[in-house]
Amino acid sequence: MLKESDTYISGQQLCDDFKVSRTSIWKVMEQLKREGYQIEAVRNRGYRLISSPDVISEAEISSLLKTQWAGKRIIYYDETDSTNNQAKACGERGGAHGTLFVADRQHAGKGRRGRAWSSPPGESIYMTILLRPDIMPESAPMLTLVMGLSTAEAIRKVTGAEAKIKWPNDIVLNKRKVCGILTEMATEMVHVNYVVIGVGINVNQQQFPEEIADTAASLCRETGRIYRRSELIAAVLERFEENYGIFLKTGDLSGIQKAYDAVLVNCGQEVRVLEPGHEYEAVAEGINRNGELMVRLPDGERRYIFAGEVSVRGIYGYV
Ligand code: BTN
């Protein structure tokens, strides 16, 4: 309520709306102050919110969310091993579709291909959504691209910067990686039990570990501004809920293909395709409805590249 109001809200009004005592209201205000919220209390006028800290608690994210199901339940950790691990454990226990796991710090953050994902506290986003889609297991990898597009759109909306997608699902800003996505799933023969999609966004960091210093960046380093992580998380969930709905209608990416291609880095440009034991150059032409990257070889042949063992690089460097 304080967030939605630019003026004071009386203690009495809060008591009436939440049906609690004055003492309870006072205790909550003290708790919020300990979490870093600046709240002014004036006799006979009430309480006013002066500023909110960059916390990503359940209450903070929920206060910004306008979704129907994505993130309706949020599980926050000051520290955990990996939000993907927590989401999978919850998936095994029957956790609800749309549950969001978010951590300030991970001590065993996971990247793709068995790599670690550096996860220091206070400045980045580590979040994973648990999904129970009624789709065939072979369609599930497309959800990674749905999340890639949603994250790029959210970053664009919040920062105004031209975030792009490096197929299949890294988000880059000025050709440096600012976000990675890791999808894991549990399937039975022809049925998806659950899918978890983990998103790591470098938001306010200034420094990176030496091994990734050349290719990684943060939204702050690239745009010169500090961002509120909760605002970005809410924006990602909102974009994802909409794009997921479009995906489910057709069960493929035909509904978001255009939007995806519009933000695909290297679209229409020459790329190097790195297959195990074999490299070649081609022009990237965008994705097809299954999320494969379509490339045109110099002799005119068109090939469809399935994400997995294959990497695609710009002719110069990482992007
Ligand atoms: C990549 O290698 O590009 C994928 C990185 C995915 C990192 C995120 S952070 C939240 C979630 N939890 C993890 O352990 N990994 C993903």
Side-chain angles (χ1 to χ4, degrees), residues 82-84 106 108-112 117 126-128 170 177 180-182 198-200:
S82 147
T83 51
N84 269 32
Q106 301 183 118
K110 299 186 294 184
R112 276 183 297 146
W117 184 259
Y126 316 113
M127 61 185 260
T128 302
D170 286 350
K177 177 164 169 173
I181 298 174
L182 177 66
V199 182

Side-chain angles (χ1 to χ4, degrees), residues 136-182:
M136 303 288 278
E138 55 269 31
S139 301
M142 291 184 220
L143 286 169
T144 315
L145 280 78
V146 176
M147 184 56 94
L149 173 64
S150 308
T151 309
E153 289 176 339
I155 292 174
R156 283 176 171 238
K157 179 177 162 224
V158 173
T159 68
E162 291 211 343
K164 300 220 161 182
I165 300 173
K166 177 177 177 293
W167 179 88
N169 47 31
D170 286 350
I171 310 297
V172 294
L173 213 51
N174 305 330
K175 303 199 169 189
R176 284 164 176 265
K177 177 164 169 173
V178 291
C179 164
I181 298 174
L182 177 66

Side-chain angles (χ1 to χ4, degrees), residues 20-149:
V20 294
S21 67
R22 284 266 182 171
T23 318
S24 304
I25 297 288
W26 180 82
K27 279 190 186 155
V28 170
M29 294 301 170
E30 290 306 303
Q31 170 66 34
L32 289 171
K33 284 184 200 166
R34 280 195 296 276
E35 287 177 18
Y37 292 86
Q38 261 189 296
I39 295 170
E40 186 187 25
V42 175
R43 193 185 281 274
N44 295 330
R45 295 185 80 177
Y47 298 98
R48 185 168 71 100
L49 181 64
I50 297 172
S51 72
S52 310
D54 181 28
V55 288
I56 47 173
S57 60
E58 183 211 333
E60 179 65 32
I61 299 168
S62 300
S63 76
L64 301 171
L65 261 188
K66 295 187 196 79
T67 52
Q68 300 291 316
W69 55 264
K72 275 291 139 184
R73 182 162 179 245
I74 298 173
I75 301 179
Y76 167 79
Y77 305 88
D78 280 330
E79 176 172 352
T80 188
D81 54 347
S82 147
T83 51
N84 269 32
N85 288 354
Q86 296 300 335
K88 283 196 292 182
C90 183
E92 295 295 335
R93 294 193 301 269
H97 174 75
T99 306
L100 182 77
F101 300 80
V102 53
D104 188 47
R105 171 170 190 233
Q106 301 183 118
H107 55 256
K110 299 186 294 184
R112 276 183 297 146
R113 300 183 187 179
R115 286 194 278 255
W117 184 259
S118 158
S119 309
E123 43 198 23
S124 302
I125 291 173
Y126 316 113
M127 61 185 260
T128 302
I129 191 163
L130 169 64
L131 304 170
R132 296 195 180 277
D134 188 10
I135 55 173
M136 303 288 278
E138 55 269 31
S139 301
M142 291 184 220
L143 286 169
T144 315
L145 280 78
V146 176
M147 184 56 94
L149 173 64

Side-chain angles (χ1 to χ4, degrees), residues 270 280-283 296-301:
E270 228 175 321
Y280 58 91
E281 284 177 13
V283 172
R296 179 84 60 186
L297 272 61
D299 65 4
E301 182 197 341

